[in-house]
Amino acid sequence: MKSMQSFKLIIVITLISIISCTSSKKEFATMLIHGGPIYTVDSIQPIVEAVAIKNNTIIFAGNFKEAEAFKNDQTQLIDLKGKTMTPGLIEGHGHFMSLGYNELNLDLINTTSYQDIIDAVAERVKTAKPGEWIIGRGWHQSKWDSMPKTMVKGFQTHNRLSEVSPNNPVYLKHASGHAGFANEKAMEIAGLHILAKEGIKRFDSKEGEVILDEFGRPTGIFNERAQSLIHRHIPEKTPETDIQAFELAVKACLRNGITSFHDAGIPRETIALYENMKQEGKLKTRIYAMLTGWDKELLNEWFDKGIMIDTANLLTIRSVKLNCDGALGSRGAWLLEPYSDRPGHFGHETLPMEFVEETALSGLKYGFQVCAHAIGDRANREILDRYEYALKKMPESALNHRFRIEHAQHLHPDDIPRFAELQVIPAMQAVHMSSDRPWAIDRLGKKRIKEGAYMWQDLLQTGVPIVNGTDVPVEPINPIASFYASVSRKTLKGTPENGYEPEQKMTREQALKSYTLDAAYGAFEEHIKGSISEGKLADFTVYNQDLMTVKENNILNTEVVMTIFDGEIVYQKKSK
């Protein structure tokens, strides 16, 4: 009898021990989110009721009842109260430091006339020190609602700008960044007032253009690489202003729900800044940085060093950005046929195609992704040709290359299927269609627009993913505007009624995926981000309404109300 009692006691003790061990090993969540629709961008379970995370990692996504099992006294509970959550949004192509500097300098993105620019500069002159440079960006003559009387080759001239700022040099970048506008004082400092007309003509017009009036005098417009004539005289940025711009860029990302950012072309100084900011704990947006292709020495250094992926997944360097043509707005995009509104002009090849080929081969050899800027159909074809050559020459290194074309804005119909054939990823900014389409038809004509411009659905149907974004500061970083453009093909004013070329619209699911999982794929990061799935990073964006079901004409009223980064709430919109 005693032996039986002892046996039972041993069983009880064993069971208690097992239960105790099991309890001690059970994972508890540091945060549990519930109370609203959660779109996961995970094909197995597209919508869930709750998400549990431990520190910075997702440990559960599913129904609320099961999620409660991960809760303990220390778990932070986030009740969405009917709001909507998605994976953290990824800006698939932007310029991080320019985003910050745009907030420090004159932001001309919302100007609608030459007069608006004059007024903005005149106001800044009032507070500028004598001789201080006035820098700005964002004007776009094709978006103005009225044009000045004097225009040369589709651009304004400097005279009125020079009148309001006779003593302060002014340089205002086009929204695209592919042209700039200088006043007389800036051109005087650059030596253009004594530069012989023959000297200007000797400038390589293949890569850039100084636009002259009928008397051979500079109008103030510098296209593509001709901008260097002015750039070299603008004072260098300081470490203090760099830090200011960096912090402003981080804040702008977080209030727009951007938890990751593909930074399209950075120099060595910016790499050093990012590394310092990471060490100081100020890097609150994951940066996937592309090395600028303008610095061949920098590229060779990194090819020797190899790719960099930090253990915290905050800063990654494994790609190269090549700028191969200009923008459509400045008529710098490199076309197969002349511009409809400038006969005989084909745009500019801003980087030799031999260098694209050389870089593609080096990228395959050293494991670096190549991302080439191409807007015009000629530039896209030339780059695809160079990629194809490199991929065929080094097939063993080409198995998972994920080469990209940034913008891929205007394609010849014959080149659309080549993206899938070569496994080249188009990184396209949908909001460009919304902003540019009303005037782009003047540049390309109806046939080229219809057959090859902003061909989202045609590309998606071939099986390639599309990486979405804004190209900030070319466009504001607001992802809602780009989402709306993706699904409506309309301007942000809601025109035309059925959208431009409506057959190319994305579905809402495709649009969300282009800002999350497909963007992650475009950076080799789909295993750690882009969907709300167990084991991935806890980066989320929360909205005031359900952008997946709300009526189309109400999408633009969607606001980001909370951003969760690395398992922490880093932005929360204040209630009115």
Side-chain angles (χ1 to χ4, degrees):
M1 188 71 178
K2 284 184 179 180
S3 61
M4 180 59 73
Q5 288 176 337
S6 298
F7 178 69
K8 287 180 179 178
L9 183 61
I10 291 170
I11 291 175
V12 170
I13 292 170
T14 302
L15 287 171
I16 291 171
S17 177
I18 292 170
I19 292 169
S20 176
C21 290
T22 303
S23 299
S24 65
K25 290 181 180 178
K26 179 176 174 60
E27 280 196 295
F28 287 106
T30 51
M31 182 183 289
L32 195 155
I33 308 164
H34 67 98
I38 299 173
Y39 293 94
T40 65
V41 196
D42 185 325
S43 58
I44 296 173
Q45 48 175 5
I47 304 177
V48 297
E49 295 177 341
V51 175
I53 67 173
K54 184 174 184 179
N55 300 321
N56 69 343
T57 305
I58 299 167
I59 59 173
F60 176 82
N63 67 59
F64 180 60
K65 189 174 181 181
E66 289 182 68
E68 284 192 301
F70 294 88
K71 183 177 67 173
N72 66 7
D73 293 342
Q74 282 75 49
T75 303
Q76 182 181 5
L77 300 178
I78 305 294
D79 186 349
L80 295 174
K81 296 180 179 178
K83 298 180 181 68
T84 298
M85 189 171 88
T86 69
L89 298 179
I90 300 171
E91 169 56 62
H93 178 110
H95 305 277
F96 194 79
M97 291 301 292
S98 294
L99 164 61
Y101 268 105
N102 222 41
E103 299 203 6
L104 280 177
N105 298 329
L106 272 182
D107 185 356
L108 304 173
I109 197 73
N110 293 314
T111 52
T112 59
S113 67
Y114 187 13
Q115 186 62 48
D116 284 353
I117 292 176
I118 299 299
D119 292 344
V121 172
E123 192 63 30
R124 183 58 64 92
V125 167
K126 293 176 183 177
T127 57
K129 298 173 185 175
E132 181 183 359
W133 279 78
I134 295 172
I135 307 298
R137 178 170 177 163
W139 64 272
H140 198 309
Q141 81 287 358
S142 295
K143 299 178 184 179
W144 291 347
D145 53 23
S146 62
M147 293 293 174
K149 289 181 181 179
T150 305
M151 299 280 283
V152 177
K153 293 184 179 178
F155 290 98
Q156 72 280 9
T157 60
H158 72 84
N159 303 83
R160 293 190 61 211
L161 181 67
S162 299
E163 287 173 6
V164 298
S165 184
N167 301 314
N168 289 91
V170 179
Y171 193 65
L172 310 173
K173 279 212 164 205
H174 192 270
S176 66
H178 289 267
F181 184 34
N183 72 342
E184 188 171 9
K185 188 67 177 178
M187 290 188 284
E188 179 186 316
I189 290 171
L192 296 187
H193 67 303
I194 59 170
L195 189 65
K197 190 160 55 171
E198 303 81 60
I200 294 172
K201 286 184 176 178
R202 282 202 303 270
F203 187 83
D204 187 0
S205 61
K206 183 181 178 183
E207 296 182 349
E209 179 182 20
V210 178
I211 293 186
L212 310 176
D213 65 16
E214 60 183 316
F215 303 107
R217 299 171 303 195
T219 62
I221 298 294
F222 296 80
N223 219 338
E224 302 303 339
R225 297 187 73 176
Q227 293 185 82
S228 63
L229 292 170
I230 303 293
H231 279 169
R232 64 173 68 114
H233 299 281
I234 297 174
E236 294 287 331
K237 298 166 184 173
T238 67
E240 291 75 23
T241 57
D242 274 348
I243 291 171
Q244 272 186 284
F246 176 88
E247 292 175 343
L248 286 169
V250 169
K251 289 178 180 177
C253 284
L254 297 182
R255 68 173 176 265
N256 282 282
I258 303 296
T259 58
S260 292
F261 194 107
H262 295 186
D263 200 353
I266 64 172
R268 65 178 72 246
E269 297 81 12
T270 303
I271 297 170
L273 174 68
Y274 289 171
E275 289 180 329
N276 288 338
M277 294 298 96
K278 185 183 72 171
Q279 290 171 6
E280 293 180 20
K282 294 181 178 179
L283 191 51
K284 297 296 184 182
T285 299
R286 305 184 197 281
I287 292 182
Y288 183 79
M290 307 174 195
L291 301 167
T292 178
W294 297 125
D295 188 343
K296 193 171 181 179
E297 185 179 333
L298 177 70
L299 298 188
N300 289 332
E301 285 176 20
W302 277 89
F303 289 155
D304 288 341
K305 189 189 314 186
I307 65 174
M308 183 186 84
I309 305 172
D310 73 32
T311 55
N313 298 299
L314 292 173
L315 178 60
T316 299
I317 298 176
R318 65 175 304 171
S319 63
V320 175
K321 165 74 180 302
L322 302 176
N323 292 76
C324 301
D325 76 338
L328 205 59
S330 59
R331 297 180 184 82
W334 193 20
L335 304 182
L336 290 165
E337 301 293 335
Y339 278 81
S340 298
D341 58 358
R342 189 176 169 187
H345 182 67
F346 293 82
H348 303 282
E349 174 193 5
T350 56
L351 196 70
M353 288 299 110
E354 295 79 12
F355 187 63
V356 176
E357 183 178 296
E358 176 189 328
T359 307
L361 290 167
S362 296
L364 293 174
K365 181 178 179 181
Y366 298 106
F368 279 78
Q369 178 189 46
V370 180
C371 307
H373 162 117
I375 289 179
D377 54 0
R378 173 83 185 266
N380 277 278
R381 175 171 290 180
E382 295 279 354
I383 291 164
L384 288 170
D385 287 348
R386 270 56 183 196
Y387 282 177
E388 183 172 13
Y389 172 81
L391 296 171
K392 286 181 177 178
K393 189 164 185 179
M394 302 180 67
E396 292 182 3
S397 301
L399 297 177
N400 190 29
H401 61 86
R402 303 196 195 183
F403 281 6
R404 293 169 39 163
I405 290 186
E406 308 300 305
H407 311 306
Q409 197 166 322
H410 172 50
L411 309 171
H412 189 281
D414 293 347
D415 292 321
I416 292 172
R418 296 181 69 196
F419 282 81
E421 290 164 9
L422 299 174
Q423 297 179 22
V424 172
I425 300 167
M428 307 175 76
Q429 299 73 51
V431 72
H432 282 337
M433 192 288 311
S434 185
S435 294
D436 298 358
R437 176 58 181 80
W439 54 261
I441 194 166
D442 297 331
R443 302 283 193 275
L444 301 174
K446 187 175 181 179
K447 186 175 187 294
R448 286 190 289 186
I449 284 279
K450 179 80 174 175
E451 294 180 352
Y454 321 103
M455 305 300 284
W456 308 330
Q457 198 57 244
D458 277 12
L459 284 163
L460 287 167
Q461 291 306 314
T462 66
V464 296
I466 286 179
V467 175
N468 213 327
T470 63
D471 199 10
V472 63
V474 177
E475 304 280 356
I477 196 173
N478 178 14
I480 306 302
S482 211
F483 181 88
Y484 172 76
S486 302
V487 302
S488 72
R489 301 273 301 191
K490 296 178 181 179
T491 69
L492 300 186
K493 294 180 180 179
T495 59
E497 185 177 351
N498 296 317
Y500 292 107
E501 293 74 53
E503 67 277 4
Q504 295 300 330
K505 292 178 183 179
M506 294 188 203
T507 66
R508 297 197 194 198
E509 290 74 21
Q510 288 171 335
L512 180 59
K513 194 179 179 194
S514 72
Y515 246 102
T516 53
L517 192 58
D518 283 349
Y521 177 85
F524 299 88
E525 294 176 329
E526 73 278 9
H527 62 291
I528 58 167
K529 65 173 75 164
S531 66
I532 299 176
S533 310
E534 187 176 329
K536 290 193 176 184
L537 293 165
D539 297 345
F540 312 114
T541 304
V542 179
Y543 316 82
N544 66 331
Q545 62 180 3
D546 190 337
L547 76 172
M548 301 300 284
T549 61
V550 70
K551 289 183 179 180
E552 185 182 281
N553 62 7
N554 199 28
I555 289 175
L556 288 174
N557 293 325
T558 306
E559 296 178 347
V560 172
V561 294
M562 182 185 293
T563 304
I564 297 172
F565 173 77
D566 221 31
E568 296 181 1
I569 297 173
V570 289
Y571 168 77
Q572 196 158 8
K573 187 177 177 65
K574 294 178 181 178
S575 301
K576 293 180 180 179

